Amino acid sequence: MISVNKISVSFGGQELFDDVSFMVNKGDRIGLVGKNGAGKSTLLRILSMESKPDNGIISTPNKITIGYLKQDIEFVDTQTIQKEVEQSFTQISLLDSKIKSINQELNNRTDYESSSYLDLINELNEADERFRLLGGHSIKSSVSQVLLGLGFKSSDFDRLTSEFSGGWRMRLELAKLLLQKPDVLLLDEPTNHLDIESIIWLEEWLKNYNGALILVSHDKRFLDVVTNRTIEIILGKINDYKASYSKYVDLRKDRQEKQVQSKKNQDKYIKYTKELIEKFRYKKNKAAFAQTLIKKLKKIEKIEVESDDLSALKFKFPPAPHSGKLVLKVKEVRKSYDELEVLKNVSLSLNRGEKIAFVGKNGEGKTTLAKIIVNSLDFEGEIKLGHKVAIGYYAQNQSDLLDKEKTIFQLIEDSSNTENRPHIRDILGSFLFSGDDVDKKIKVLSGGERARVALCNLLLNPINLLVMDEPTNHLDMKSKDILKNALNNYDGTLIIVSHDRDFLQGLTNKVYEFKNKNIKEYFGDINTFLNEKNMEDFVSLESGNVINKQNHNSNFSKNKLDFEKRKKLDKEIRKLSNKVKALEREISLIENDLKFLDSKLADYDNFQKNSKNDDFFQKYSEKQKKMSVFLKKWEKSSNDLELLNLKRNEL
């Protein structure tokens, strides 16, 4: 469907892509992965034809349709949710207008027997048939299905788009794309503004989507469910894996380990060969043999071990200033938006050093309470901060609140104090902004880069109560891990709002579930909370589904079949594993033989004796050939073993 042929892209004097090629086929579900700033969003823009590469070609068939969800969209608010979404059906809308126009003309005419009247009837029938085939009669039901699936309520359909936040309008743009059903869907972080219930719905929709999907996401679970192929962007190159994210991680590790081993074997062979060349190249009777070895060396394609991009965030939160034992007291807090009551008589207390999580479905009041605590929303009730409490707040849309016209350096300089102002460049360096990067304006940064700037800005002044609302949005997997580590080592008090179970594991010691306008307290981390709720995972919490024994019993037969398959595969794996080990032993023995022969050649007296013995060099050559054969067998068996292990893991 899409052919990417040797594209290269430079940005700000830095090479983003270098001679990159791959194909996108119908039915592909591709996850684009890589660190923030690797070029994932740039590649999507190129594939959407919104921008062009510096070199190379992007080829697409005629009439192919491409839908592209960007991270940053300029919204135009002029109409209702319903009308906005119905604009997705451009062709259907044109047909609808045509049908209405023809009907109007027919109503005004009385020449029922004329040929022109009959032509209009035929034109109307054709337009109506085309309208039906395109699903024109089911537009409203399709619109309702998608909007409800993405979290909108039926009562929202007639509201103006201007009444909704940026996050909800992003959902609206996603809805429009899904309804268009393009041949290729390009989605850049589609889950950032979705709750788990909506994510589950989107997963199911994408699983039934017939076109090609290319997805940028830092949600491991979402990638595993939706994708069947992973393209890794690393240091301007790509690695293409026919696997979902978790399998890609294992395959990548195995690939690198094999590369290391193969390179070791090759280096040994090259070393032996070079030593032989040096020994024989100046001997008349062995010069031809040396030339043969030289030619062999030239033909060898050097094995290169893929190197990881080891650059990563390096930061920790400043020591928290000492505060009183009681950090926060929330007493009978109430909040309504017009007639919509969100929170009712909510109370909690927070002591110094506690780390708590707010969990629950979107719209239950998590963000609302966070905003109330940091004094950015009016409310009813009482909020009391403890002695010497200094609050730091990372809003859900924190990166969008940055002044886009300022450079990175200017923004951080404006937020710094006299103590850290001289060290701004060092601080920015720990967040991977160095050299000319610091002079980039906020508006040209990727979502992940903006998130890093926002985090950096948060660390400039000491705080002892940190409130973070969905801080992992836009952060790559490595950055999420580093942020989690920094929060674990933070000695202040933490309130965190998140739907990311992996991120929350081991991070908090108390969980508050938001439900039915109030909260319920659970002691322990997210896993303890889930166990108490008798839920399989965090998805169950968000979708409101509790595990029951009946579901387990219904899967008994399937589990039994899976057991038999696993048993058979385990037998094959053991057999092949033994074969690999046997080959490794043989290779080791041959290596020892070659070393022994080399030691004979290294001794001058033995060299004189062996140089006259043709059988010696024949034996040496046979050993090398045998080594080559066994290495090929080992490589094939290792690959077969890898595939069997993958099949085993799928069961």
Side-chain angles (χ1 to χ4, degrees):
M1 297 181 78
I2 301 178
S3 174
V4 179
N5 190 18
K6 295 185 176 181
I7 66 166
S8 298
V9 177
S10 295
F11 186 78
Q14 183 180 354
E15 198 166 60
L16 206 56
F17 298 113
D18 179 27
D19 205 28
V20 167
S21 299
F22 61 93
M23 285 285 298
V24 180
N25 305 302
K26 187 176 181 179
D28 278 344
R29 305 281 195 275
I30 300 172
L32 280 184
V33 300
K35 57 170 280 186
N36 288 142
K40 302 184 295 294
S41 296
T42 300
L43 184 55
L44 287 188
R45 285 196 295 273
I46 291 171
L47 293 173
S48 72
M49 310 300 173
E50 189 173 285
S51 59
K52 294 181 179 179
D54 299 332
N55 296 295
I57 300 171
I58 306 290
S59 303
T60 59
N62 292 330
K63 296 182 179 179
I64 190 175
T65 55
I66 298 175
Y68 176 32
L69 181 74
K70 299 185 280 188
Q71 286 191 29
D72 299 311
I73 297 175
E74 296 292 330
F75 301 105
V76 179
D77 300 308
T78 58
Q79 51 196 348
T80 64
I81 292 285
Q82 182 88 27
K83 292 292 184 185
E84 180 74 20
V85 174
E86 286 179 359
Q87 283 187 341
S88 307
F89 303 94
T90 307
Q91 206 173 351
I92 293 175
S93 297
L94 290 172
L95 282 169
D96 188 42
S97 299
K98 184 178 181 178
I99 291 167
K100 289 176 179 176
S101 176
I102 294 172
N103 278 320
Q104 183 67 40
E105 187 174 349
L106 289 172
N107 288 334
N108 295 331
R109 292 180 61 163
T110 56
D111 53 334
Y112 307 120
E113 303 296 327
S114 68
S115 60
S116 62
Y117 189 91
L118 293 174
D119 288 341
L120 275 175
I121 293 291
N122 289 330
E123 192 176 352
L124 177 63
N125 289 334
E126 288 176 6
D128 196 57
E129 178 65 12
R130 181 67 177 157
F131 185 81
R132 184 187 66 78
L133 289 172
L134 290 173
H137 297 294
S138 60
I139 283 180
K140 290 193 181 297
S141 64
S142 298
V143 168
S144 295
Q145 181 187 10
V146 172
L147 286 176
L148 292 171
L150 290 175
F152 291 94
K153 300 174 183 175
S154 300
S155 56
D156 294 332
F157 294 3
D158 293 324
R159 293 172 59 189
L160 293 172
T161 58
S162 56
E163 298 177 31
F164 292 84
S165 67
W168 282 99
R169 282 179 290 180
M170 286 296 291
R171 293 191 191 205
L172 185 60
E173 292 301 315
L174 177 58
K176 288 159 65 176
L177 277 181
L178 299 183
L179 287 164
Q180 289 170 12
K181 295 183 179 178
D183 299 311
V184 182
L185 256 180
L186 310 175
L187 303 180
D188 198 350
E189 296 285 4
T191 64
N192 273 355
H193 304 283
L194 301 181
D195 57 32
I196 295 297
E197 205 167 306
S198 299
I199 292 172
I200 294 168
W201 180 89
L202 181 59
E203 287 173 354
E204 290 302 314
W205 194 96
L206 291 173
K207 282 193 280 186
N208 295 312
Y209 168 60
N210 292 322
L213 170 68
I214 305 175
L215 167 71
V216 174
S217 178
H218 298 125
D219 187 326
K220 298 176 186 177
R221 181 174 293 146
F222 187 69
L223 284 169
D224 277 337
V225 172
V226 173
T227 64
N228 57 19
R229 181 179 167 192
T230 302
I231 291 180
E232 174 193 42
I233 303 174
I234 180 169
L235 301 175
K237 304 290 185 181
I238 68 160
N239 293 318
D240 197 343
Y241 296 83
K242 304 296 188 288
S244 59
Y245 181 80
S246 292
K247 292 176 185 174
Y248 139 76
V249 173
D250 294 335
L251 286 171
R252 186 174 189 278
K253 184 181 177 182
D254 290 344
R255 177 176 171 172
Q256 287 182 313
E257 287 175 353
K258 287 177 181 176
Q259 283 179 339
V260 170
Q261 187 58 50
S262 297
K263 186 169 182 359
K264 283 181 180 178
N265 292 332
Q266 189 185 70
D267 288 344
K268 285 180 182 178
Y269 174 75
I270 292 172
K271 182 184 176 185
Y272 295 151
T273 306
K274 284 182 175 179
E275 287 174 354
L276 282 177
I277 291 169
E278 288 301 314
K279 289 170 184 174
F280 300 143
R281 68 192 308 170
Y282 303 112
K283 308 294 180 181
K284 288 184 180 180
N285 59 338
K286 302 298 178 190
F289 178 65
Q291 287 300 315
T292 302
L293 294 178
I294 290 170
K295 288 177 182 178
K296 282 185 178 180
L297 276 185
K298 287 181 178 178
K299 290 179 181 179
I300 290 177
E301 187 175 338
K302 293 283 186 75
I303 297 170
E304 297 292 337
V305 178
E306 293 173 3
S307 59
D308 288 327
D309 185 354
L310 299 177
S311 61
L313 301 181
K314 296 177 183 177
F315 77 93
K316 60 181 181 179
F317 288 92
H322 193 73
S323 68
K325 184 178 179 181
L326 181 67
V327 172
L328 172 70
K329 190 172 183 65
V330 177
K331 187 176 180 182
E332 296 186 353
V333 165
R334 301 173 298 281
K335 178 61 184 178
S336 299
Y337 296 95
D338 296 325
E339 296 180 358
L340 177 64
E341 189 176 42
V342 180
L343 299 173
K344 183 179 180 180
N345 296 329
V346 171
S347 299
L348 66 88
S349 60
L350 190 59
N351 292 323
R352 183 178 62 240
E354 283 190 309
K355 295 178 180 178
I356 66 173
F358 288 174
V359 302
K361 293 194 291 185
N362 276 5
E364 293 287 350
K366 304 185 300 294
T367 295
T368 297
L369 184 58
K371 287 181 176 180
I372 288 171
I373 290 170
V374 301
N375 198 31
S376 65
L377 269 182
D378 59 340
F379 63 97
E380 296 178 56
E382 183 181 350
I383 296 287
K384 185 178 179 181
L385 295 177
H387 182 61
K388 291 187 176 180
V389 170
I391 296 181
Y393 179 44
Y394 187 99
Q396 190 172 135
N397 62 334
Q398 188 69 41
S399 60
D400 297 329
L401 300 176
L402 304 174
D403 190 335
K404 294 179 177 59
E405 294 302 321
K406 286 185 178 179
T407 67
I408 297 172
F409 188 91
Q410 287 170 339
L411 190 141
I412 299 302
E413 186 180 39
D414 291 347
S415 301
S416 62
N417 54 41
T418 53
E419 185 178 341
N420 54 37
R421 191 166 289 124
H423 309 291
I424 288 176
R425 287 191 175 273
D426 293 334
I427 295 169
L428 286 171
S430 65
F431 284 86
L432 306 183
F433 298 112
S434 58
D436 295 337
D437 289 342
V438 302
D439 296 320
K440 289 181 181 177
K441 287 193 174 184
I442 302 298
K443 64 183 180 183
V444 304
L445 301 181
S446 69
E449 288 170 325
R450 290 186 191 182
R452 296 207 309 266
V453 174
L455 275 175
C456 180
N457 199 44
L458 187 65
L459 267 63
L460 292 173
N461 294 291
I463 51 177
N464 47 31
L465 174 58
L466 179 58
V467 182
M468 305 191 86
D469 192 354
E470 299 291 355
T472 61
N473 283 354
H474 302 297
L475 288 181
D476 60 37
M477 279 92 166
K478 188 185 288 186
S479 298
K480 284 203 294 186
D481 290 341
I482 290 165
L483 173 60
K484 182 176 178 176
N485 184 60
L487 289 172
N488 273 322
N489 292 317
Y490 174 56
D491 60 351
T493 308
L494 174 67
I495 299 173
I496 189 159
V497 181
S498 180
H499 290 88
D500 191 330
R501 179 189 175 184
D502 293 329
F503 185 73
L504 288 176
Q505 283 179 350
L507 183 57
T508 62
N509 49 35
K510 193 183 291 184
V511 173
Y512 286 94
E513 181 190 10
F514 283 65
K515 192 175 181 180
N516 299 327
K517 306 174 188 178
N518 217 298
I519 60 175
K520 186 176 180 180
E521 184 182 63
Y522 296 82
F523 289 94
D525 71 352
I526 194 70
N527 287 337
T528 305
F529 163 71
L530 293 172
N531 289 334
E532 287 191 35
K533 293 288 292 184
N534 192 31
M535 295 177 183
E536 186 176 30
D537 55 25
F538 204 45
V539 171
S540 303
L541 163 67
E542 296 289 349
S543 60
N545 298 321
V546 180
I547 298 172
N548 59 66
K549 293 181 181 179
Q550 187 178 352
N551 290 337
H552 289 293
N553 293 334
S554 65
N555 291 325
F556 179 76
S557 298
K558 181 179 180 300
N559 291 338
K560 189 175 179 180
L561 287 172
D562 287 345
F563 173 76
E564 294 298 327
K565 287 181 181 178
R566 284 195 295 270
K567 190 176 177 181
K568 186 179 178 181
L569 276 172
D570 286 340
K571 187 177 179 180
E572 293 178 22
I573 288 169
R574 283 195 300 272
K575 185 178 178 181
L576 198 52
S577 182
N578 290 333
K579 184 180 178 180
V580 169
K581 289 177 181 176
L583 286 167
E584 287 173 348
R585 285 194 296 271
E586 288 292 335
I587 290 169
S588 180
L589 289 171
I590 297 170
E591 283 182 344
N592 290 334
D593 288 344
L594 285 170
K595 285 180 181 178
F596 176 71
L597 293 174
D598 282 337
S599 66
K600 283 193 171 185
L601 288 172
D603 183 81
Y604 180 79
D605 293 331
N606 280 327
F607 174 75
Q608 292 285 358
K609 180 182 175 182
N610 293 322
S611 63
K612 299 174 183 179
N613 185 359
D614 291 333
D615 290 340
F616 178 89
F617 295 104
Q618 185 179 349
K619 186 178 179 181
Y620 192 98
S621 180
E622 286 173 353
K623 288 286 182 183
Q624 285 187 318
K625 288 178 182 178
K626 193 175 180 181
M627 171 69 87
S628 179
V629 170
F630 273 91
L631 283 173
K632 286 179 181 178
K633 287 182 179 179
W634 175 84
E635 188 173 358
K636 184 181 183 304
S637 298
S638 295
N639 287 333
D640 291 343
L641 182 61
E642 180 185 326
L643 290 171
L644 286 178
N645 280 317
L646 284 174
K647 287 182 181 179
R648 176 64 171 79
N649 292 334
E650 288 175 355
L651 294 176

